[in-house]
Amino acid sequence: MKKIIILSILFTFALSKPLAPIDFDVVKEQTNTKSPTLLLMGGIQGDEPGGFNATNMFLMHYKIIDGNVWVVPVLNKHSMLMNHRGLYDDMNRKFKNLSSSDPEYFIIKHIEDLITDKEVNVILHLHDGSGFYRPKYETPLLNPNRWGNCSIIDQKKLENVKFGDLNTIVNKMTSHINDNLLEPIHKYYVRDTHTAKGDKEMEKALTYFAIRNKKPAFANEASKELSLEKRVYYHLLAIEGILDQVGIKYERDFKLTPNNIYRLINDKTLDVKINDSIILPLYGLRPVLNYFPMPKDAQITTIPLSSKAHIVGLLPRNNQVWLKYGNKLMTRINPDYIEFDHSVKNIQIKVDGELKNIEVPSIVEVKENFEILPIEGYRVNIIGYVIPNDKSKKPNETGILIHHKDCISKFSIDKAGKIFRAEIYKGDKFSGMILIKFL
Ligand SMILES: [Zn+2]
C-alpha cells in the first residue's frame, strides 16, 4: 500500500511541471546616500509568512525620513507561491560552495551581489522559527533547540567595520522588542551561534556570508506558535530596533498593535493589476473565476503585476492560474488564453448619469446605473449582462443603460454579487477590463 502511495505521488509530481525559480524584487527606499543603508529581507523560506508579511507591511506603511532601506520582500518567491519551505532544498544553506548547476544559483548570486554592494551597511534577515528559544532547557516548546522569538548573530564583533559591534546592536534591538512584549512567554533572547567556531550548518547561511564579507548581519525569528499578525508585530519591532541603532529615521502610518496589523494585512481595498490590462480586488473574490482572459503564450509567473502589496503572484497550477497574496490563495482562475492588445487606455462611461473618463483597467463604483459609451473599433462584453432577445455570439454592450438588477449575480467576480467584468475586445484580441462595482 505504501509503495502504491509513493508511486502515485511520484507520478503526480512527474506530470505537474515543477515551478521554475523566480528572481526576487528589490525595492529601494532612498532619501540620502550619505546616510546608512539597511538591507532588509524576508521569505528565504516560502512557508515563513511572518517575514514576508513584515517586509510587505514595512513597504506599504513606513516612510523613510532619513537614510536608506533596500527591501527584498520575498527572496524565495516560487516557494512562497507553493506554500513550501524550499522547492529546491533549503535556500538558506546555499551560501557556501554552491554548484553553478543549482536551479537557484542565479538567485543566490543576486542576493550575494546585494549583500556585498558597497552602499549596504547593515543586513536584517527575517525568519519564522519553531517554539520559543531559551538558553536553558525549560519545556519541549521552550529550549535551546527552538528558534522562535530570538535575535541571532554569528559572532559578537566585526573588527574595523561601521556598526561592527553586533553584540551591542542586537542586545538593544531585543530590549526594544522586550519593552513591547504582548505576553511574558514571548520574551526575546539573543542567540549567538558562534558560527566561525565550527557551526557547519550556519556557515552555509546568508548572514554568515555577509559576516565573511565584513557586513554586519542580524537575523530575527518570530515564533510559528504565534498568529501571523503577532509574528509581523515582533518583526516590525526588530526592524524599528535596528533602524534606531543605525540612525535611519522613519515614520509609520499606524499604531503598532497586532489588531492594526491584522486589519492592514487583510486590507479590503488592495487590488492587483495584471499585465496592465486587468484589475482584481485581492479580497472578496469567488473561489473560482471562469472563462477569465489571460495572455496567450506567456509564462504565468512572468506576467507583469502591479499592486500596493509586494507579495502578490500568479501560480500556474494544473490548468488553472492561482492568485496568491503571500501564502494566501485569493482565487483560482480558469483561464481563457487570448492575445492581449494594450490599445485602449481610456473609455467613457456614464456613471449614475455623470460622464466620466475611465482609465483601463480600473474599478468603477456605481450607485444606480452605468452606460459604457461606444468605442470606435472595439466591442464590450459585460459578463453577466445579457441583451434581451439577442442571439448574436459577439455582443457589443455599449450604449445601453444597465442597472444592478440587469446583471446575473452568479457571473459576478465577487462573492457578494456586486462586481462585474466589462471586457473590451478589438477583433479577436483582448484590449482590457473595467470592473463595475455596484455599491
Ligand atoms: Zn527561516
Side-chain angles (χ1 to χ4, degrees):
M1 191 61 194
K2 236 184 200 162
K3 248 186 197 160
I4 294 167
I5 292 170
I6 290 168
L7 274 176
S8 73
I9 289 170
L10 283 175
F11 189 64
T12 318
F13 194 73
L15 278 181
S16 60
K17 254 204 285 181
L19 190 64
I22 305 169
D23 202 4
F24 55 82
D25 297 324
V26 189
V27 188
K28 296 185 176 180
E29 308 268 10
Q30 317 224 75
T31 67
N32 184 350
T33 50
K34 290 193 182 74
S35 298
T37 298
L38 168 71
L39 172 60
L40 172 67
M41 291 170 282
I44 199 166
Q45 277 107 17
D47 63 347
E48 296 183 3
F52 52 76
N53 277 278
T55 51
N56 188 44
M57 277 300 112
F58 183 80
L59 284 169
M60 292 202 294
H61 298 287
Y62 284 66
K63 189 175 155 208
I64 304 302
I65 306 300
D66 183 31
N68 314 292
V69 183
W70 294 3
V71 185
V72 175
V74 54
L75 278 167
N76 196 340
K77 192 173 181 184
H78 40 291
S79 297
M80 177 194 80
L81 292 175
M82 294 282 285
N83 295 12
H84 194 288
R85 179 171 173 83
L87 289 175
Y88 300 92
D89 293 333
D90 191 342
M91 197 191 266
N92 201 24
R93 294 292 180 271
K94 296 195 176 186
F95 293 87
K96 201 190 169 195
N97 306 329
L98 183 66
S99 159
S100 60
S101 65
D102 188 287
E104 291 175 330
Y105 184 80
F106 70 101
I107 296 176
I108 301 301
K109 289 299 132 188
H110 187 181
I111 307 171
E112 292 182 352
D113 286 346
L114 275 182
I115 291 170
T116 53
D117 191 300
K118 63 180 189 333
E119 301 281 318
V120 169
N121 302 104
V122 186
I123 288 146
L124 178 59
H125 193 197
L126 308 178
H127 291 265
D128 300 11
S130 75
F132 294 93
Y133 171 75
R134 292 290 186 269
K136 290 199 178 89
Y137 189 94
E138 293 176 24
T139 67
L141 202 63
L142 295 84
N143 67 60
N145 293 321
R146 295 298 196 166
W147 287 92
N149 284 31
C150 68
S151 304
I152 307 160
I153 49 175
D154 291 277
Q155 57 195 48
K156 295 216 163 31
K157 262 197 166 52
L158 264 179
E159 297 297 343
N160 305 317
V161 173
K162 197 179 184 184
F163 310 120
D165 187 355
L166 308 178
N167 192 45
T168 302
I169 293 174
V170 79
N171 272 289
K172 288 190 175 161
M173 185 176 107
T174 50
S175 310
H176 178 65
I177 299 173
N178 286 334
D179 287 344
N180 294 282
L181 287 183
L182 302 169
E183 287 175 49
I185 193 183
H186 299 168
K187 185 177 174 184
Y188 268 69
Y189 287 86
V190 171
R191 180 170 191 169
D192 182 348
T193 55
H194 302 285
T195 306
K197 291 180 183 162
D199 190 324
K200 294 292 170 224
E201 280 305 296
M202 297 311 291
E203 273 180 5
K204 297 182 245 172
L206 181 148
T207 52
Y208 195 62
F209 171 84
I211 296 296
R212 282 206 307 275
N213 286 279
K214 300 275 176 212
K215 298 283 188 173
F218 306 87
N220 193 66
E221 299 262 2
S223 176
K224 289 179 177 174
E225 297 294 316
L226 303 175
S227 62
L228 178 59
E229 60 275 13
K230 287 180 183 171
R231 298 185 207 182
V232 172
Y233 172 78
Y234 286 120
H235 280 317
L236 291 176
L237 285 169
I239 295 169
E240 294 185 2
I242 283 275
L243 293 175
D244 291 343
Q245 290 308 304
V246 301
I248 297 173
K249 293 186 179 60
Y250 62 89
E251 276 172 4
R252 160 171 32 81
D253 68 9
F254 66 101
K255 187 172 182 289
L256 192 59
T257 65
N259 279 345
N260 284 340
I261 293 167
Y262 179 88
R263 187 174 53 78
L264 294 172
I265 291 173
N266 298 282
D267 182 348
K268 302 290 180 283
T269 68
L270 288 172
D271 56 42
V272 58
K273 285 183 182 161
I274 302 172
N275 214 19
D276 208 25
S277 306
I278 290 171
I279 187 165
L280 282 175
L282 291 185
Y283 282 96
L285 293 170
R286 290 184 184 276
V288 179
L289 299 179
N290 288 315
Y291 304 107
F292 200 85
M294 276 283 142
K296 204 176 171 176
D297 303 325
Q299 201 189 320
I300 300 298
T301 55
T302 62
I303 294 172
L305 301 180
S306 84
S307 176
K308 245 176 83 183
H310 293 262
I311 51 171
V312 174
L314 294 177
L315 169 66
R317 217 59 200 114
N318 307 321
N319 292 318
Q320 294 183 316
V321 176
W322 291 9
L323 174 62
K324 298 292 302 280
Y325 168 36
N327 284 153
K328 294 173 200 275
L329 173 60
M330 310 318 280
T331 191
R332 303 195 307 272
I333 293 169
N334 281 321
D336 195 357
Y337 289 108
I338 182 170
E339 201 172 319
F340 275 45
D341 141 357
H342 296 273
S343 56
V344 177
K345 306 291 178 210
N346 292 278
I347 65 169
Q348 294 204 302
I349 307 184
K350 253 188 221 165
V351 180
D352 299 315
E354 192 189 327
L355 188 62
K356 289 185 176 173
N357 199 34
I358 305 287
E359 211 178 290
V360 180
S362 52
I363 301 175
V364 181
E365 297 191 336
V366 174
K367 283 196 196 86
E368 296 292 331
N369 56 50
F370 72 98
E371 177 185 339
I372 298 176
L373 299 198
I375 322 158
E376 179 83 48
Y378 297 86
R379 63 190 171 81
V380 174
N381 185 7
I382 298 155
I383 311 300
Y385 174 76
V386 184
I387 302 177
N389 308 319
D390 186 287
K391 296 277 185 287
S392 68
K393 284 218 171 83
K394 288 190 172 178
N396 182 15
E397 290 154 345
T398 57
I400 308 167
L401 189 68
I402 297 172
H403 291 75
H404 194 178
K405 64 170 167 48
D406 304 325
C407 300
I408 303 165
S409 172
K410 71 171 180 179
F411 288 105
S412 73
I413 61 159
D414 64 324
K415 284 183 256 185
K418 291 182 173 173
I419 308 176
F420 294 86
R421 295 140 60 178
E423 299 178 352
I424 306 159
Y425 291 90
K426 185 184 192 181
D428 295 335
K429 293 173 183 164
F430 173 79
S431 304
M433 185 185 288
I434 294 287
L435 293 182
I436 302 294
K437 180 180 182 181
F438 288 104
L439 298 173

